[in-house]
Amino acid sequence: MTYHDVTIMGGGPAGLAAALSLEARGLSVAVLERAAQPRWAEPAFDGREIALTHHSVSVLKELGAWDHIPQVAISPLREARVETGRSNHPLTFDTQGRGVEALGYLVSNHCIRRGLYLAASQRPGIRLLGGTSTRHIRRIGDEMTVVHGGGEITSRLAVGADGRFSQIRRQQRIGAVMHDFKRAMLVCRMAHDLPHHHVATQWFDEGQTIALLPVNGGASSIVLTLPVEQIERLRMLERDAFNTEIMQRVGGRLGNMRLVSTRHAYPLRGVYAHRFAAPGFALIGDAAVGMHPITAHGFNLGLKGQEALAQEIGAGLARGESPGSLSVLRRFERRHRLATAPLFAATNGIATIYTRDEPAFRVLRQAGLRVADALAPFKSAVTNMLMDRNRAA
């Protein structure tokens, strides 16, 4: 048996970021990750491109992870467009008048994970345990004991950060609202002849939703949402036939396109935990809130969640409270719920309206985009949310 102030179960971005944030406040942290150490340290490309807000970039810089991300892997996002149908007025967002070069920055998920791992591996107060699965957790008095394949760790706080299908959440008997969108998304990189000018496009076409995310090197990340069986067919399709079909699906807007990466498929399910905290226990990342990717805000909310947890624990320590104190964790829970509940509900509503193809929904989408594009205060508010340049207190 070993002792650490905090044990985090799940070594993804939220778990590693939380470890760095808590260690910076003087706490010793153990991170348990099911993936073997080599695969954890050097994660493979998984197709996902993360749209980082300015706030998230500042968090990654503060945690020491940003310096480990190659500059060539950071693609500025200078404009965002939302379209519906084949020839309709787009809703556009840009940085005009804000004195910055980009709305945000696109970085591959595996690069972020690697940067956070390298930063955590260099911190003396963090112990990284790869190839380690949690068997169960028991609470004795004010301490939490995490039983894993290699022994036991006793801590003042245990944190679940093992994704939206969290086993840790279920072990703690915490339920969740789950919304199955009956769709899957295919993600991959494709090179193309025409320039993207660092413009991201979210396109709601009949029968499909496509996101074109600009990355460096004359390529874009393609995010295609379709029924599950169609996604599986495309994932297995021969390369030349795949290229041809994707060019048809995007209307030839990027010229000739060719697959330059592996293809990955993910089910679309939203998750919102009934509780984010219990005595000696907290949920963060997708284990707490797993967003539909339509607003590209899930990762940023995950970073904010771990930041809120660390800040509330830091404030509690200054008052003489334990990291696992229920009063500390309730303050974190209230704060994170206020930040996520409205956006989770709005995102699910948008995903429903913009992915249904009945005539009434198509008319509503077209009218909505025209009205929204004409409303300067609305566009300014959405742009500010997309950029998120304000650091939390």
Side-chain angles (χ1 to χ4, degrees), residues 130-366:
T132 304
S133 296
T134 301
R135 291 180 176 171
H136 63 269
I137 307 167
R138 60 174 181 263
R139 180 173 175 81
I140 302 175
D142 293 330
E143 293 185 327
M144 304 291 285
T145 296
V146 175
V147 180
H148 59 86
E152 299 180 0
I153 301 175
T154 297
S155 304
R156 292 186 283 172
L157 172 66
V159 177
D162 57 333
R164 66 184 63 199
F165 307 115
S166 170
Q167 294 181 5
I168 303 302
R169 184 181 64 223
R170 290 194 293 271
Q171 284 183 17
Q172 292 301 106
R173 298 181 180 177
I174 297 176
V177 174
M178 292 197 179
H179 190 111
D180 189 345
F181 294 94
K182 309 296 184 183
R183 294 286 189 275
M185 64 178 185
L186 179 79
V187 288
C188 62
R189 277 195 182 190
M190 298 192 74
H192 42 79
D193 292 345
L194 300 180
H196 51 51
H197 300 296
H198 290 277
V199 176
T201 301
Q202 183 83 22
W203 181 20
F204 301 97
D205 197 12
E206 290 187 30
Q208 64 180 12
T209 301
I210 299 175
L212 304 172
L213 306 178
V215 296
N216 295 329
S220 291
S221 173
I222 309 298
V223 185
L224 177 62
T225 301
L226 289 167
V228 175
E229 62 277 6
Q230 294 186 43
I231 288 294
E232 187 60 21
R233 178 186 65 81
L234 279 167
R235 190 178 70 85
M236 302 302 294
L237 195 62
E238 186 271 331
R239 182 178 292 258
D240 288 342
F242 178 82
N243 293 342
T244 299
E245 181 163 339
I246 293 299
M247 283 188 282
Q248 292 172 346
R249 286 184 175 277
V250 304
R253 61 175 63 197
L254 292 173
N256 288 322
M257 302 177 71
R258 57 198 177 278
L259 183 66
V260 292
S261 77
T262 49
R263 287 169 276 186
H264 302 265
Y266 298 97
L268 286 181
R269 294 175 191 160
V271 176
Y272 201 93
H274 293 162
R275 293 180 289 132
F276 300 157
F281 181 79
L283 285 173
I284 59 172
D286 282 358
V289 182
M291 299 283 288
H292 188 291
I294 199 168
T295 58
H297 244 58
F299 181 90
N300 298 297
L301 285 177
L303 275 187
K304 279 195 166 184
Q306 67 80 28
E307 184 181 40
L309 176 64
Q311 288 172 348
E312 294 301 336
I313 287 174
L317 289 171
R319 295 188 295 266
E321 296 177 284
S322 167
S325 163
L326 187 58
S327 60
V328 168
L329 299 179
R330 289 295 187 215
R331 284 190 287 270
F332 150 70
E333 181 176 51
R334 286 192 296 270
R335 181 170 162 183
H336 198 40
R337 196 172 294 281
L338 284 172
T340 57
L343 190 55
F344 182 81
T347 297
N348 288 352
I350 292 169
T352 299
I353 292 172
Y354 278 85
T355 54
R356 293 184 61 173
D357 290 322
E358 293 90 335
F361 284 96
R362 292 203 300 269
V363 171
L364 181 62
R365 291 199 295 263
Q366 293 168 11

Side-chain angles (χ1 to χ4, degrees), residues 26-55:
L27 299 175
S28 62
V29 185
V31 184
L32 279 57
E33 167 59 33
R34 284 174 295 181
Q37 202 86 25
R39 190 155 54 92
W40 189 18
E42 290 289 344
F45 175 79
D46 61 14
R48 291 176 287 188
E49 304 292 336
I50 307 300
L52 295 170
T53 64
H54 289 261
H55 179 95

